[in-house]
Amino acid sequence: MVAANNLVLVSGPSRGGKSRWAESLLKDCPKVTYVATSAPRPNDPSWQARLELHKTRRPRCWNLLETTDQLPEELSRLGSDQALLIDALGGFVASCLELDPILWDNRCQALIQAIKTHAGQVVVVIEETGWGVVPATAIGGLFRDRLGALAQQLEQHSERSWLVVQGRALDLHALGVPI
């Protein structure tokens, strides 16, 4: 596959530093839209604390876009004169779990197309799942499998890929071998 010259992937486990690393990759961009894909959880204090940490860390000049299942359409509406930071794909995947496999594949293709056609830099944060306990529910397994498959599809179009673990970023294109 031909890599888009504007896509950078950042993956890793929870609390590994992937959002901080992704933000640092765009720190010198004059215009950035931070795309948050998580569904609102106003009654979850720990989630709200995590969102506040992200908010205070981001430069004030960055725009914020909150979306879930409409991510491809929202990206297509954004101007190409800006960089995008999508943090993270787990919210998009979770919002589409009820879709049958064909409709899910269509959503993935729409997302990939929206990213590929965006002229500005695109940094996508992707949660890594499947390294630990096997999900006890079918929906948990579906989430894990869809997120992992989408990550591999996006990798085929990326200029760079980073794995962030324990606060350290590893350049997967420099260190890894495609399989």
Side-chain angles (χ1 to χ4, degrees), residues 77-106:
R77 286 192 272 275
L78 293 173
S80 292
D81 63 332
Q82 60 194 294
L84 304 178
L85 172 51
I86 302 168
D87 192 3
L89 283 185
F92 170 69
V93 172
S95 71
C96 297
L97 286 175
E98 77 287 349
L99 297 178
D100 68 51
I102 293 171
L103 290 175
W104 168 245
D105 185 56
N106 290 342

Side-chain angles (χ1 to χ4, degrees), residues 121-166:
Q121 181 72 52
V122 180
V123 176
V124 177
V125 177
I126 307 169
E127 301 89 337
E128 283 293 338
T129 60
W131 285 11
V133 177
V134 174
T137 63
I139 197 85
L142 181 63
F143 175 82
R144 175 202 58 209
D145 293 347
R146 284 187 172 181
L147 188 63
L150 180 55
Q152 286 193 48
Q153 289 175 39
L154 285 167
E155 165 55 32
Q156 295 175 12
H157 303 282
S158 72
E159 172 189 23
R160 305 289 302 260
S161 288
W162 296 92
L163 174 63
V164 182
V165 180
Q166 300 172 5

Side-chain angles (χ1 to χ4, degrees), residues 43 48 57 59 72 91 102 104 112 164:
N43 298 323
Q48 293 305 312
R57 199 173 54 217
I102 293 171
W104 168 245
I112 291 166
V164 182

